[in-house]
Structures are given as structure tokens and as C-alpha cells.
Amino acid sequence: MQAECYRIQIQKLIEDVKDLFGECKELGLLAKLELIDSIQKLGLNSYFEKEIKETLDTIASVKLKNNSNPFISSEGDLYGTALLFKILRQHDVFGVFIDEIGTSKKSTFGDVKGMLELLEASNLALEGENILDEAKAFLMVTLRDTNTMCDDIDRCISKHVAYALKLSSQRRVQWFNVK
């Protein structure tokens, strides 16, 4: 009896998250990426494969149609670009973003959240992607210096930086990241 109540509650929660994908259409592509990233970090992406695939197909088609990255603003949005890169690479939808990542490298200092996502994305580099190897080396030094020298970094982000410098999220057991 209690098990059936839990199953009903789980199904309700799954439907609520699926509704979030519909709500993100009004919020924009970055909100969708953050939702997908959160779902993956919790290890729940198997429940939302269809929604994630549809969202990524939409993002890829927008990119190809506009021939530009919708996340790069006039200042250059490193966080959005790195998050987009990481998610598309994880789902083998990756296309033509490496050059944009490379040009964003010059304006990264000060955007710790963006640098962290770019570091995680650089861990997904394939052989021969020298720009990502260079970005990774640059980010390892920059994040290490930023984490040790700056007192005004959010404590939570500082922990994430320390974990990312030790071991990439792709190499960690996902369940331990949920904590």
C-alpha cells in the first residue's frame, strides 16, 4: 500500500518536471540548459530522455539556422557558451562551438561560474582539439589562483571549484555529486 503511494508521488514529480520543459520555452534557451544540467547532475536524465532530446534538437537547429551562438552577447557570455558546449558534447550533438569557446577564453577572468563550466566542458575534449587543451590549462591555473586568492567568492562555488580541480565531474560517481 505504501509502495503504491510512493509510485504515484514519483509519477507526479516526473510530470511536474516534464511541465518545466514546457515552461522553459517562454524563459529561453539558457533556462532549458540549466534545467537539463540539473537533471543530469541528479542522475535523473533517464526519466526525461525525450524532453532532453527535443530541447537539444531545438537548440542545435536554432544554432544552425542563425549560424551564431544565441548565448554570446556583446560582452561574451562564457557561462552560457560553456554550459551549451558541455551539454551538447555529453549528448553527441556537438557541432561548431569550439572556435567560440576559444575566443571566449580571453574574457574569462572574473566569471568563476563560467570558468568552472568551461573547465568541465574542456574535460570532454576529443583528440586533436588543441583549443580545449589550451583552455583547460589556462582555466586550471586561473581557477586555482582565483580560489586561493579571492575571499569574495561564494563558499559554495569555491567548493565546486576545488572539486573540479581535483577530478572532473565526468570521472566522479554521479550519485556522490547529488549530496
Side-chain angles (χ1 to χ4, degrees), residues 108-110 115 136-147:
T108 58
F109 196 78
M115 287 190 295
K136 183 176 182 176
F138 167 78
L139 290 166
M140 293 287 283
V141 170
T142 305
L143 284 170
R144 191 172 293 119
D145 292 347
T146 303
N147 213 23

Side-chain angles (χ1 to χ4, degrees), residues 111-147:
D111 183 5
V112 177
K113 192 175 176 183
M115 287 190 295
L116 186 58
E117 285 300 328
L118 183 55
L119 177 64
E120 291 293 345
S122 71
N123 288 316
L124 299 169
L126 299 175
E127 190 174 328
E129 292 177 333
N130 295 335
I131 257 183
L132 291 177
D133 292 336
E134 292 172 18
K136 183 176 182 176
F138 167 78
L139 290 166
M140 293 287 283
V141 170
T142 305
L143 284 170
R144 191 172 293 119
D145 292 347
T146 303
N147 213 23

